[in-house]
Amino acid sequence: MNARPRIAVTGRIPDAGLDILREAGELVAWDSLDVASPQQVHELVRGAAAAVTLLTTKVDEAFLDAAGAQLKVVANVAVGYNNIDVAACARRGVLATNTPGVLTEATADIAMSLMLMATRRLGEGERVIRSQAPWQWGMFYMLGSGIQGRQLGIVGMGEIGCALARRARVFGMDIAYSNRRPVSPSIEAELGAQLMSMDELLATSDVVSINCPYNATTHHLIGAAELAAMKPTAYLVNTARGAIVDEAALVAALQGGEIAGAGLDVFENEPAVHPGLLECEHVVLIPHLGSATIETRAAMARLAAHNAINVLSGIEPPTPIPVPAE
Ligand code: GLV
């Protein structure tokens, strides 16, 4: 009889994580790059003491029922955890964990890249070359907007927001932010960051970057009214979660010239993208690449594995998800 705990991994993760998990228990891992269906996930997690999940895995009552009462931990290989019903986990004594920290720099790089790509029309320029359309250097050809001396408004000043601010400062931008609470005075001073109400931030920023978590409070935080409140010369960047922005309202604002452009790494109904966005030349669209570096994904897998095995060993995991007050 084998007493090693069953550990289920619901999607492909780097070996750096699998090797740690294999040491700690009987590993059953989804072995395909295709996303497992809920039924396939439920089959996989049946009888598991630990489930290591991806952001494409829905951890809801049905998942928890399928796993069974021996489940102790759900270790998400992502910083965002809107795929997990954390309260439902807590009610059953299941601890949920995520992977903050290790993907901060990679995600901030992508936000900075999107800001540069959108303001300097890089996607549009690349499409011209690839289409082999005739082009010629010209004094007024494909002019974008400079970001030096402009204000970056960061919505959600957590680790990724701060890492983006650090980059933007080097590019000569001024930093405004809106957050549930002010960041520490030392971080404010380091970043020269000014706390603003959402209204003030939207009305005064040249680029607005979304860096807050997605939850019931932030669903459609940026809708028609917020987009209308932005400057017509301003850009929106989203590397957080698609549904923080009302995508249909964004398409209308872009088509109506209410804002100058956008850079998006995430989409409301991912992997579907609103067809209106595809038609907007002044939008940069990339497929959820925030944490997509070899090093970052390995670090995420390692952290998730440590979270899982700590819980199995009765030790506090490095990065537990706070349980919401019910
Ligand atoms: C990616 O989107 C993550 O939440 O880690």
Side-chain angles (χ1 to χ4, degrees), residues 55 78-80 103 241 288 300:
L55 54 80
V79 65
L103 45 65
R241 283 291 182 269
H288 204 148
M300 291 164 69

Side-chain angles (χ1 to χ4, degrees), residues 261-280:
L264 306 174
D265 185 38
V266 287
F267 303 91
E268 186 161 1
N269 299 304
E270 226 171 280
V273 175
H274 193 296
L277 289 174
L278 302 176
E279 281 159 20
C280 292

